[in-house]
Amino acid sequence: MVRVLAVADEVVDSLTFGVGIDGRPDLILGAGDLPFDYLEVLSTLCDAPCVFVPGNHDRDLSGYRNGRAGWLRAGLPSDDPGPRGAINADGRTVEVAGLRISGLGGCRRYNSGPNQYTDTQQRLRSWRLHCGRPTPDILLTHSPARGVGDGDDRPHRGFECYHGLVRSLRPTLMVHGHVHPFGTHPSDKMIGDDTISMNVVGYCQFDIDPGTREFQIVRRRHGA
């Protein structure tokens, strides 16, 4: 089993002191809209790699490339744009801590801010993500799918194209943020034939066995 601590959208201060974390996670997942230094603290505290996707309140991370000479943007040297040492999985599939993770950040476009996409744009990004890719263990997104734990207002309405993406990728878990619980306890929901969609605003710690579709929730908190 791989031990995962997934976080999104709301900072839970106690986690930065290790309070509320069961054992030592093997991996930190960030589903967007968190201060980058928060992810850095969790990764350092747990001595675990961090994989994240950006949310609509995060800075624009497009155009950066990490090569042998370090970070570049438009061919010029740059600082690490995201959480230091973390892996941005937006629009790609990565393998970390024994898990295969496909990522899509951002939400539905509602203003001129970064990391927002129209249905057409996100559908194209989804197609690129699943094209020829093996089945991931986790699909990590910021926004949920339409009708699966999303909201009715424009910014929080989920993407329809995620249904097709899940049917194609068949991940064990779809881990997302973006929709704040505001004192409620949103339940995990089935999407597709065999994928569980999980809102991790606040945090959720779970164990997952790569390739077997087995997982177990260890501890969670809905919101800060």
Side-chain angles (χ1 to χ4, degrees), residues 183-199:
T184 66
H185 290 179
S187 59
D188 299 334
K189 300 179 184 302
M190 182 71 78
I191 177 172
D193 294 330
D194 43 17
T195 297
I196 298 295
S197 177
M198 177 188 294
N199 184 338

Side-chain angles (χ1 to χ4, degrees), residues 2-9 27 29-32 53 99 102 104 137-150 162 166 171-181 185-192 194-209 213-223:
V2 179
R3 292 167 291 185
V4 178
L5 174 63
V7 292
D9 287 81
L27 174 67
L29 289 182
V53 293
L99 291 175
S102 296
L104 269 185
D137 300 291
I138 296 172
L139 173 61
L140 177 65
T141 67
H142 180 58
S143 172
R146 180 61 177 150
V148 187
D150 63 340
Y162 284 179
V166 167
T172 302
L173 294 174
M174 177 176 174
V175 173
H176 71 84
H178 193 47
V179 180
H180 295 256
H185 290 179
S187 59
D188 299 334
K189 300 179 184 302
M190 182 71 78
I191 177 172
D194 43 17
T195 297
I196 298 295
S197 177
M198 177 188 294
N199 184 338
V200 300
V201 172
Y203 73 92
C204 182
Q205 188 172 353
F206 59 88
D207 296 341
I208 181 170
D209 193 11
R213 312 194 72 82
E214 293 184 7
F215 74 97
Q216 180 177 12
I217 294 176
V218 176
R219 181 174 289 191
R220 74 191 310 174
R221 174 170 169 172
H222 298 283

Side-chain angles (χ1 to χ4, degrees), residues 1-180:
M1 286 284 192
V2 179
R3 292 167 291 185
V4 178
L5 174 63
V7 292
D9 287 81
E10 298 183 22
V11 171
V12 180
D13 289 326
S14 60
L15 291 184
T16 64
F17 300 100
V19 177
I21 300 176
D22 192 84
R24 188 178 69 81
D26 301 303
L27 174 67
I28 309 297
L29 289 182
D33 281 357
L34 284 170
F36 287 169
D37 59 358
Y38 179 64
L39 295 178
E40 291 170 5
V41 167
L42 294 180
S43 181
T44 300
L45 178 71
C46 300
D47 191 24
C50 175
V51 175
F52 74 102
V53 293
N56 51 302
H57 296 298
D58 291 322
R59 61 181 293 192
D60 182 7
L61 299 176
S62 61
Y64 289 90
R65 187 169 60 86
N66 190 13
R68 290 184 178 179
W71 283 97
L72 299 172
R73 192 179 198 192
L76 299 175
S78 171
D79 293 330
D80 187 340
R84 281 173 296 179
I87 299 168
N88 184 354
D90 189 22
R92 63 188 183 128
T93 298
V94 299
E95 293 192 37
V96 181
L99 291 175
R100 184 175 293 124
I101 303 154
S102 296
L104 269 185
C107 75
R108 183 180 293 271
R109 177 163 294 286
Y110 62 94
N111 64 24
S112 60
N115 307 315
Q116 298 177 30
Y117 304 95
T118 65
D119 278 331
T120 301
Q121 290 170 327
Q122 196 71 329
R123 188 176 299 280
L124 180 58
R125 280 162 42 85
S126 298
W127 180 80
R128 288 172 176 159
L129 181 63
H130 80 70
C131 200
R133 301 293 193 279
T135 297
D137 300 291
I138 296 172
L139 173 61
L140 177 65
T141 67
H142 180 58
S143 172
R146 180 61 177 150
V148 187
D150 63 340
D152 290 326
D153 58 310
R154 186 176 176 187
H156 295 97
R157 199 177 305 153
F159 286 109
E160 289 282 358
C161 62
Y162 284 179
H163 289 274
L165 181 64
V166 167
R167 284 196 299 271
S168 297
L169 292 178
R170 296 186 63 245
T172 302
L173 294 174
M174 177 176 174
V175 173
H176 71 84
H178 193 47
V179 180
H180 295 256

